[in-house]
Amino acid sequence: QVQLVESGGGLVQPGGSLRLSCAASGSIFSIYAMGWYRQAPGKQRELAAAITSGGSTNYADSVKGRFTISRDNTKNTVYLQMNNLKPEDTAVYYCNAYRNSFGTSYDYWGQGTQVTVSS
């Protein structure tokens, strides 16, 4: 089992920045791929950014060049630095931990943190 707790959300003006954090506990953090997903009102949850256990990253086209995902395995924490925020980035952001072991998937979610971009 992995427990995930997000923090760092809030209200920010367009063009501003926020850094989200996701603290993990309960298992070996370093073996999990980590992701930040987001869900806007009335829309499906979508992947914003992901980082593998080896440190490779992947971003949605809509956030490339503005968001940076990183992880600190010594602190069991994954981060999402969000710059040049736009109103369309408004959503609940969820942290996800995932791994697959011998055909069995392990998939865990945090409770979410609200990000609102508005003037």
Side-chain angles (χ1 to χ4, degrees), residues 19-105:
R19 188 174 84 153
L20 305 183
S21 299
C22 173
S25 61
S27 187
I28 304 172
F29 174 76
S30 61
I31 67 174
Y32 285 83
M34 301 297 298
W36 285 98
Y37 289 73
R38 63 186 185 180
Q39 187 166 19
K43 295 188 176 181
Q44 288 190 331
R45 192 174 296 189
E46 63 174 7
L47 177 68
I51 185 166
T52 67
S53 57
S56 297
T57 58
N58 182 45
Y59 297 94
D61 288 343
S62 58
V63 308
K64 279 181 182 177
R66 300 187 298 120
F67 289 13
T68 302
I69 188 170
S70 61
R71 65 190 299 162
D72 185 340
N73 291 338
T74 66
K75 297 181 179 180
N76 288 359
T77 302
V78 63
Y79 305 97
L80 185 67
Q81 177 67 44
M82 305 185 293
N83 298 327
N84 190 21
L85 282 160
K86 304 176 180 181
E88 52 263 42
D89 295 317
T90 295
V92 178
Y93 283 71
Y94 297 92
C95 179
N96 172 261
Y98 175 83
R99 73 179 181 100
N100 185 290
S101 177
F102 299 102
T104 300
S105 295

